[in-house]
Every structure is written in structure tokens, then in C-alpha cells.
Amino acid sequence: MSLFTYQRADVRVAAASFLLRYRTAEAKAVLAEVAQRKGFFTFEAGQALKTLGSGRLEPLSVLAVRPGPRARSPGSSAPPGS
């Protein structure tokens, strides 16, 4: 199964957004289809298409996974992440 045809729209949009540079025609078709629908991920799909139109084919930072703060070890007085 391709991520472009996955049942969940968030998975399709994420895959298409990250693969715009490498599989442009397929990714654009997926994003255009999701952008036409109503729902939560239409904005992300529209922004990815806007990025494509601007010539910047970078992954959407909205979809990038960011690590959370590190937990403190017991007895440590240092703030998390230091």
C-alpha cells in the first residue's frame, strides 16, 4: 500500500508534503484532492500546494516532528533540556 493512497488524510498529506521534491506530480495530485475536501487537513494540503507554487519544495514545518523536553534525572537541579 502506498502512503499516497492510505485511508487517513493526515498520512496522505504528510507523505505528499515530504515527497513534493521527489514525486512532484503524484504528491501534487494527493494534496489537491485533500485540499478540495472539508476537514482538518485541508489547510496543510493547501499550504503545501502554496509552497510548491512559490518554488520552495521544503517539507512543511507544521508536520515536522519535534522532540519534547528531556526529563530531569532524579536529584538533578538543572532545568530540562540542559
Side-chain angles (χ1 to χ4, degrees):
M1 175 189 305
S2 168
L3 291 178
F4 287 159
T5 59
Y6 199 79
Q7 181 180 358
R8 291 178 31 198
D10 61 326
V11 173
R12 292 193 312 272
V13 169
S17 296
F18 284 106
L19 292 172
L20 270 173
R21 176 178 290 162
Y22 307 103
R23 295 178 66 181
T24 305
E26 293 170 277
K28 186 177 175 182
V30 169
L31 293 169
E33 184 267 324
V34 174
Q36 296 299 318
R37 295 180 173 205
K38 291 183 180 181
F40 186 76
F41 296 101
T42 58
F43 176 77
E44 284 86 357
Q47 289 300 303
L49 289 170
K50 185 176 176 181
T51 299
L52 175 63
S54 72
R56 294 180 302 119
L57 294 177
E58 297 299 323
L60 293 176
S61 61
V62 172
L63 299 174
V65 176
R66 295 191 177 121
R70 290 185 226 164
R72 285 191 254 177
S73 60
S76 171
S77 61
S82 60

